[in-house]
Every structure is written in structure tokens, then in C-alpha cells.
């Protein structure tokens, strides 16, 4: 093993996702060496000590393959300023770093550690900022200690930073105690990472902790793919693949089955007989499915509560709107009066919003308190604007917040139900099983529930196919709206959405002003064309604002015309780097002032949820924070992110079709190419087209469109909700 000490001369290559870096080190003796390894983001001229062995790359020559490394304190004033202002220590930006070093000298870090009160001598630093800097330095030292210890187990710096964010000063002890807990407790850490650590620590392949972790992880990953449970044989197969490894370090089916049985005894999983085989549930999804079925069956028993004369007057008022209701819409009103639970489904232009307005009028005339909600902020704001009623997100309706003794949770539940006589949920196809369970727990006895949505769209991002399962069970009244109203029928967006839904290719005639098909089969050229459309052609045609009005949606992430590549191209075209625009790097992405970004996982504390899109309105390099402005019911709402939280954000100039659900945009551009083959499905194309309000532009090939239109196979999600609804005794199994 060779050891070298020096300063980082230059970064030749860095991948933020994998943390892989190729750099050049100027050694203290004067020689320069090329080195490779996994590192967190480094600054030029940082002092490093590298330990590794020489290897010869067939193209790049001799390189030091680094096995261990550590940061050293800078030895010059300028180096220390760069070190302190690198963004690693919250509260220290370029100005503050300069003031600290100018006042305390190159021994500043030692002085702060031993005499922290001397920070108050530095111009511009008060007591509050001094405490922030001291805490930031302590946190930074903890991270460095974790880096030194854990890198020996092959853990990348990016993973170590994520672990520290979750466990803090206890990071090393938690990892040593049970590395398999990481896959279950830490966002973004999978079984393979925790297994690699465990094996490095000496845990055997057949350890019960290893098999248990693989079972729980496999069920959790299945839920991320939409499944509520896994058939027993499929679970055993998945766990077997997950735990197989080099040297025959695999686990037998009998060992896995034995651990499943043990977990069932501890009620961490549940085993339910199927017509053929057995379903294995992770506990939370088992309780949610049983609870949803039980509560829906209980609510559906609600019957007509008013006299004939009252009902007649209310129906007359509800039918008196500017648009004459179609027979199916009138049937919705009648079913809503007679049923405790009702589903209303239909495609674009079929009058779902008009129906909701009529329902609001109907129940207001009957002096019922109506609550209107939707899964996302954008959807809630849209339904409030179009109906004239008040609306909220489901999470706000259920008052998610902190409760002493139990932490963050929904404040509305069976013991403190909603004050409502009728609850109407719009965009119900987006509601997953667990959110539906939380909603139903908060609906009081005697309240009516009306679910409105388009069942032909993609199912929810979370586990389950709640709306489809309820409709397919045929236990709950469901009304499908099919009449396309005259004004909607003039829109080629709506015409083509319905054509696709019926298995026909979309059309674009020469008179169309809202739907365009542009042929381009080569993915790279299609991506360039998408950029050109966003930057020039559509804004000049509209006029449409490239950032506010146009949204690119695409079936896949990692292709030439996928989400990741398009985001890089569109950021460069629509919000290029400029010396007046601050920016920060995280996980291989650059976030710049003015960028469109998306929240990619639920953050209940900030009340921001997976799929919410906003704009970066400020970046404070001194405080290590950026602010994102999100559209809200009352206007815009600014949310602050610490730089360490940026793994919750992604650029959103382009988003996946799944992530676009529940949102509408003035203009959508959607590449549809044969390289998207794995996801070319009718409901995906249909969902994409129906996101457009004023214009839809498809870029791609007729062959890809034909594949998507012909593929009407809805990907099966393992769910027993429909069966439970059809067999009421099945909903009574288990406890909530």
C-alpha cells in the first residue's frame, strides 16, 4: 500500500450519484499523481491523505486506486477559506469564511474547537450564528469520523452522508449494531448496501437477520412497484435472488419459508390464503387493506335521509346550472342520495367537474356540510377554481402534524373524525391504499363518501389500485360518464385521448391548434427537438412561457430522451449558468436559482409531497439553504431546504408520466419512442395526453404510438381489496 499527502490540483471526472472521482493530487514533494476512488464532493486545493495501490488503466495509464483517505486541515489562509466556504458547514459561506480566517488566522478551526466564544470576535457573527457554526463544525467532525471508519467497509461517501443525516452521532454504532436495519430505516439505502456492510462485518450468509431483512425489503420494494402483497412463491424467489452471491453464499427456499413463518408469528408479516397459494403481506399493508374494505362496507349502508319534497327541490336546484346535465350525471345525483359510498369515473370532457358542482349544490340545499379534497395541491387548487368551492389536499384535510407522545401523524382519525356530512375526493385514481385507509378512518358514521376520478389513467404511485378495485368489485355503485360535451368535443386533445382509450391511433389534422404529432425516430434528435420546441417554437406560437406553461413528460428515466437526459438539456437551454445565479451541487445534479424542481418523496413536516413541482427562488450560500416556491391553494408557498436535504429534490423540466399524475399543464410535450418499449402502454399514453389543457405535442414514431395504443394490458398489481369487498367476512380479518 502506498500513502501520499498533498493538495487536490484538479478534478478530472466526478459522478455525484456513485461518488466516483478521478483527480490529480499535487504531493508535498512536488510530484503529481492521478488517483481514483469514491469521495464526497471535494474542493480544489483541499489537503488530502490517500492510501491505495497502483493500477494501470489501459487508456489512462498509471493511477492510484484509493482504498482509504482522509481530509487534512488546510495549511494556507486561502485554502482554509475555500475549505470553510465549501458548503459542508452550515452557516459559513464565502463572506463569513473570509471574516473568520482574516480575524482568527490559519489556526481558526483549532481556536473555535478550544475557545468557541472567540467566534463572537469575528465581524458579522452574533450569538445565534456562532451557535450554528459550532454545531455545524461538530456535525462535520462526526461525518469525517464516520467517513474514516466506514469507508473501510466499502461504504461510499454519499451513503455515509445519508446515514449520518438519519442517525447523527450514533451512525457508526448503529451500523455496527445491525447493518440490516439501514435498508428499512434510511431512505435510499437498499438491501444490497446494508448486506455488503454486514458481510464486511462478518455476518454469515445464513444469518436469520439477513434473511429477515431480505424478506421485509422484498415486500417493501414490491409496494414501491404498486403491490400490496406478494404470492408466497414469488416472495421466496425474490428473496432467493437477493441473497444469492459469489461463492455459493445463497439461502435455501426452506430457510426463507421458515423465516416467513417466524415473522408471521411476530406479526411483522401476514399470511392469507388465496384461491391458489398464499399471499404474504407486510403488516402495514395488511392492516390497511382490511381496514379499507371494512370501512367502505360500513359506509355504504347509508340510505336516503330526507323527505320526497326536500329531495325534489334539491335535485331541481342541482339541475339548474348553465350546462344541461346528461342522463349519467343526473344518475350520479340520485345515487349520491341513495348510497353511502359512490364512485364517479369518466375521461376528459365528460363533465366530472360539472358533476361535482351539481353535487355541491345538491347537498348544500339539503343542509349537509360538504368537504372537497384532492391528493395533490395542484389538483385541489384546480377543483376549487373550477367549482367555486373550498378544497384542500387530503393530508391537510386530515391535519397531519406533531402530537405529543406520538410524533408526526394525522390528527383526524376515528377518535377525532371530520366534521362533514359528505366528503368528495377528486382525482381519486391517485389515492393509494394507505392514504385511503387514513382518510376512511377519519370519516364519521353516517357521512357519505364520493370518489371522482378517471379509472383509465395510470394507478396511484403508491401501493394498490383502490379506485379500480372498488369499481371491479361491483359492490359499490359506480357511474361512468361517457358523453363528451360539445365544447370539449372541439378539442383534439380530448378527441385523441378518447381515441387512444378506445385503442385507436391519435390524429392531428391541419386545422388543429391544440394537438400536434411530430415524427422523429432517432432518440438523440428527438431530445434536441423537444428542447427546441420548449425554447423557441411553442413560446413563439403561443405565446407560452417555457418554464411556467410548458411541461415535458416522458415514459422512462434513463434513455436518450428520458427524464434524466432531458433535464440536463433543458436546464442548459432554459436556465443556463450565469455568474449572477448562485447554484449548488448535490448527488450529481446542479440546482440553480430559477430552476424547476420536484419533490420526490413525501415530507410531512414541510407539507410537501411526492410529485409537487416548484421553482427555486433563492439560494443562500452563507446559510447553506435554498428556498422553493410551490403553488398552493392560497397562492405561492415558500419551503426552505437545508443543502443536506437536496436528495429530496430533482430537476423537473422533464418528469415521468407517473409523476405528472393529478397535474394539468397548459402545454405538454411527450416523446414517444420505440426505446421506451418497456413502458409503452395505452393507459400511459392516455394519461400523458390528458395532462394537457391547451396544447399537446407528441414527438416520436408511428411505430411507438402503435405499440402503446395496442398494448391495453394493465400491469397487474397484487391486491385483495376487491375480494375483501365481495366477501365481507374477508374484511374482518386482523386488527387496525
Amino acid at each position: 500500500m502506498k500513502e501520499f499527502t498533498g493538495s487536490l490540483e484538479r478534478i478530472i471526472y466526478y459522478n455525484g450519484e456513485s461518488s466516483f472521482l478521478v483527480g490529480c493530487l499535487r504531493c508535498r514533494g512536488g510530484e503529481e499523481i492521478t488517483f481514483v476512488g469514491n469521495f464526497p464532493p471535494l474542493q480544489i486545493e483541499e489537503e488530502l491523505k490517500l492510501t491505495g495501490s497502483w493500477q494501470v488503466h489501459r487508456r489512462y495509464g498509471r493511477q492510484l486506486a484509493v482504498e482509504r483517505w482522509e481530509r487534512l486541515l488546510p495549511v494556507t489562509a486561502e485554502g482554509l477559506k475555500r475549505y470553510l466556504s465549501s458548503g459542508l458547514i452550515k452557516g459559513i459561506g464565502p463572506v463569513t469564511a473570509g471574516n473568520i480566517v482574516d480575524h482568527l488566522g490559519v489556526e481558526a478551526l483549532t481556536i473555535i474547537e478550544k475557545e468557541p466564544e472567540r467566534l463572537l470576535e469575528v465581524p458579522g457573527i452574533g450569538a445565534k450564528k456562532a451557535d450554528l457554526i459550532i454545531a455545524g463544525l461538530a456535525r462535520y467532525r462526526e461525518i469525517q469520523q464516520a467517513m474514516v471508519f466506514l469507508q473501510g467497509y466499502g461504504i461510499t461517501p454519499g451513503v455515509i452522508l445519508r446515514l449520518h443525516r438519519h442517525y447523527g452521532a450514533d451512525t457508526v454504532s448503529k451500523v455496527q449494531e445491525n447493518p440490516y436495519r439501514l435498508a428499512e430505516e434510511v431512505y435510499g439505502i437498499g438491501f444490497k448496501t446494508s448486506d455488503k456492510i454486514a458481510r464486511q462485518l462478518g455476518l454469515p450468509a445464513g444469518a436469520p437477520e439477513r434473511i429477515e431483512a431480505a424478506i421485509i425489503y422484498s415486500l417493501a420494494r414490491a409496494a414501491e412497484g404498486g403491490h400490496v402483497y406478494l404470492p408466497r412463491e414469488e416472495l421466496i424467489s425474490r428473496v432467493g435472488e437477493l441473497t444469492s452471491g459469489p461463492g455459493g453464499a445463497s439461502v435455501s427456499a426452506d430457510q426463507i419459508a421458515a423465516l416467513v413463518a417466524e415473522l408471521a408469528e411476530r406479526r411483522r408479516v401476514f399470511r392469507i390464503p388465496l384461491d391458489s397459494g398464499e399471499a404474504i403481506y407486510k403488516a402495514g399493508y395488511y392492516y390497511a387493506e382490511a381496514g379499507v374494505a371494512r370501512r367502505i362496507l360500513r359506509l355504504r349502508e347509508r340510505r336516503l335521509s330526507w323527505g320526497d319534497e326536500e329531495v325534489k327541490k334539491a335535485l331541481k336546484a342541482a339541475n339548474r346550472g348553465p350546462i344541461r346535465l346528461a342522463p349519467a350525471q343526473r344518475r350520479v345525483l340520485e345515487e349520491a342520495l341513495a348510497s353511502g359510498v359512490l364512485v364517479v369515473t369518466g375521461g376528459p370532457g365528460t363533465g366530472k367537474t360539472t358533476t361535482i358542482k351539481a353535487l355541491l349544490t345538491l347537498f348544500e340545499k339539503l343542509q349537509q356540510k360538504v368537504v372537497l379534497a384532492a391528493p395533490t395541491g395542484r389538483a385541489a387548487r384546480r377543483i376549487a377554481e373550477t367549482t367555486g368551492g373550498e378544497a384542500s389536499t387530503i393530508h391537510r384535510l386530515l391535519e397531519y402534524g406533531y402530537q405529543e407522545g406520538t410524533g408526526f401523524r394525522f390528527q383526524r382519525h376515528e377518535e377525532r373524525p371530520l366534521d362533514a356530512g359528505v366528503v368528495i375526493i377528486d382525482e381519486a385514481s391517485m389515492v393509494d391504499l394507505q392514504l385511503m385507509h387514513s382518510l376512511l378512518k377519519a370519516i364519521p358514521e353516517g357521512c357519505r363518501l364520493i370518489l371522482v376520478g378517471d379509472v383509465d389513467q395510470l394507478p396511484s404511485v403508491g401501493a394498490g389500485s383502490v379506485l379500480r378495485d372498488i369499481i371491479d368489485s361491483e359492490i359499490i355503485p359506480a357511474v361512468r360518464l361517457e358523453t363528451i360535451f360539445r365544447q370539449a368535443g372541439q378539442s383534439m386533445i380530448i378527441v385523441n385521448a378518447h381515441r387512444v382509450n378506445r385503442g385507436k391511433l391519435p390524429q392531428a389534422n391541419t386545422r388543429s391548434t391544440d394537438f400536434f404529432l411530430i415524427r422523429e425516430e432517432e432518440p438523440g434528435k428527438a431530445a434536441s427537438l423537444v428542447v427546441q420546441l420548449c425554447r423557441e417554437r411553442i413560446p413563439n406560437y403561443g405565446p407560452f412561457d417555457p418554464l411556467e406553461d410548458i411541461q415535458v413528460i416522458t415514459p422512462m428515466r434513463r434513455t436518450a430522451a428520458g427524464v434524466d437526459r432531458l433535464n440536463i438539456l433543458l436546464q442548459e437551454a432554459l436556465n443556463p449558468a450565469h455568474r449572477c445565479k448562485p447554484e449548488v451541487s448535490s448527488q450529481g445534479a446542479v440546482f440553480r436559482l430559477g430552476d424547476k424542481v420536484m419533490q420526490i418523496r413525501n415530507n410531512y413536516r414541510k407539507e410537501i409531497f411526492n410529485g409537487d413541482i416548484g421553482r427555486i427562488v433563492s439560494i443562500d450560500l452563507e446559510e447553506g439553504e435554498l428556498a422553493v416556491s410551490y403553488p398552493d391553494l392560497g397562492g405561492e408557498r415558500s419551503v426552505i431546504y437545508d443543502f443536506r436535504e437536496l436528495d429530496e429534490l430533482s430537476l423537473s423540466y422533464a418528469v415521468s408520466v407517473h409523476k405528472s399524475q393529478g397535474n394539468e399543464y397548459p402545454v405538454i410535450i411527450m416523446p414517444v419512442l420505440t426505446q421506451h418499449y418497456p413502458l409503452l402502454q395505452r393507459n400511459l399514453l392516455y394519461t400523458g395526453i390528458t395532462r394537457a389543457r391547451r396544447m399537446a405535442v407528441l414527438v416520436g414514431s408511428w411505430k411507438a404510438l402503435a405499440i402503446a395504443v395496442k398494448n391495453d394490458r394493465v400491469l397487474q398489481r397484487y391486491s385483495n381489496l376487491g375480494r375483501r369487498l365481495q366477501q365481507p367476512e374477508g374484511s374482518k380479518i386482523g386488527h387496525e
Side-chain angles (χ1 to χ4, degrees), residues 78-112:
E78 286 305 311
L80 184 57
K81 287 178 183 178
R82 278 190 291 272
Y83 176 84
L84 288 172
S85 64
S86 63
L88 296 170
I89 303 167
K90 187 172 173 59
I92 304 181
V95 174
T96 302
N99 290 340
I100 290 173
V101 176
D102 290 344
H103 192 81
L104 300 178
V106 293
E107 300 298 320
L109 290 175
T110 302
I111 292 170
I112 293 169

Side-chain angles (χ1 to χ4, degrees), residues 307-592:
D308 291 346
E309 196 58 35
E310 286 179 286
V311 169
K312 191 181 295 183
K313 288 180 180 178
L315 285 170
K316 186 176 180 181
N319 274 283
R320 200 180 289 146
I323 300 174
R324 183 175 176 82
L325 296 183
Q329 292 174 307
R330 293 196 293 273
R331 186 181 154 218
V332 167
L333 301 183
E334 294 164 0
E335 289 283 3
L337 292 171
S339 306
V341 182
L342 173 65
V343 173
V344 182
T345 187
T350 57
K352 293 193 296 295
T353 301
T354 301
T355 304
I356 291 174
K357 290 172 72 173
L359 286 165
L360 293 173
T361 302
L362 175 73
F363 286 111
E364 284 166 7
K365 287 293 179 183
L366 294 170
Q367 299 183 327
Q368 293 292 297
K369 182 174 181 180
V370 182
V371 170
L372 182 59
T376 68
R378 282 179 182 265
R381 186 167 72 169
R382 187 177 68 250
I383 198 63
E385 291 171 350
T386 53
T387 63
E390 293 184 7
S392 73
T393 63
I394 297 174
H395 287 87
R396 286 195 188 170
L397 177 67
L398 301 181
E399 298 177 16
Y400 187 86
Y402 184 79
Q403 187 173 24
E404 194 69 37
T406 58
F408 282 86
R409 57 170 290 183
F410 289 117
Q411 305 296 311
R412 292 285 184 175
H413 40 71
E414 51 268 84
E415 295 174 10
R416 187 171 173 261
L418 296 167
D419 177 20
V422 181
V423 173
I424 301 175
I425 303 297
D426 192 29
E427 295 286 358
S429 64
M430 293 182 64
V431 181
D432 62 38
L433 182 70
Q434 290 190 315
L435 183 57
M436 181 60 76
H437 187 216
S438 297
L439 172 66
L440 289 168
K441 284 196 285 187
I443 293 180
E445 290 287 337
C447 182
R448 283 173 162 77
L449 173 65
I450 301 172
L451 303 173
V452 183
D454 186 347
V455 74
D456 294 321
Q457 290 184 20
L458 293 169
S460 59
V461 174
S465 302
V466 177
L467 191 67
R468 181 175 294 278
D469 287 347
I470 292 173
I471 293 172
D472 290 348
S473 75
E474 299 183 346
I475 293 297
I476 303 301
V479 180
R480 180 179 279 272
L481 305 178
E482 296 181 302
T483 302
I484 301 176
F485 288 87
R486 181 179 175 184
Q487 185 176 358
Q490 296 170 352
S491 163
M492 289 302 294
I493 295 172
I494 291 174
V495 168
N496 281 320
H498 285 278
R499 283 183 64 85
V500 167
N501 207 26
R502 292 194 300 268
K504 297 180 179 180
L505 283 168
Q507 294 178 336
N509 59 50
T510 55
R511 296 190 306 276
S512 174
T513 59
D514 67 351
F515 192 94
F516 300 92
L517 296 169
I518 302 177
R519 295 195 187 195
E520 179 52 70
E521 300 196 11
E522 202 281 310
K525 290 181 180 178
S528 298
L529 182 54
V530 167
V531 173
Q532 187 185 48
L533 285 163
C534 286
R535 184 175 53 195
E536 301 161 9
R537 291 172 59 172
I538 292 177
N540 292 338
Y541 181 87
F544 295 103
D545 184 279
L547 291 172
E548 295 296 331
D549 297 330
I550 302 173
Q551 183 62 56
V552 176
I553 60 178
T554 182
M556 298 183 74
R557 294 199 63 85
R558 304 182 192 281
T559 61
V563 172
D564 297 342
R565 179 63 179 155
L566 284 171
N567 267 319
I568 293 171
L569 296 174
L570 289 165
Q571 182 190 46
E572 184 181 334
L574 303 179
N575 191 32
H578 190 277
R579 59 185 176 82
C580 295
K581 289 182 185 177
E583 60 183 48
V584 59
S585 296
S586 173
Q587 304 291 307
V590 174
F591 295 104
R592 187 173 297 138

Side-chain angles (χ1 to χ4, degrees), residues 700-712:
S701 70
W702 284 110
K703 182 178 179 181
L705 281 172
I707 292 170
V709 168
K710 289 177 183 176
N711 183 8
D712 64 347

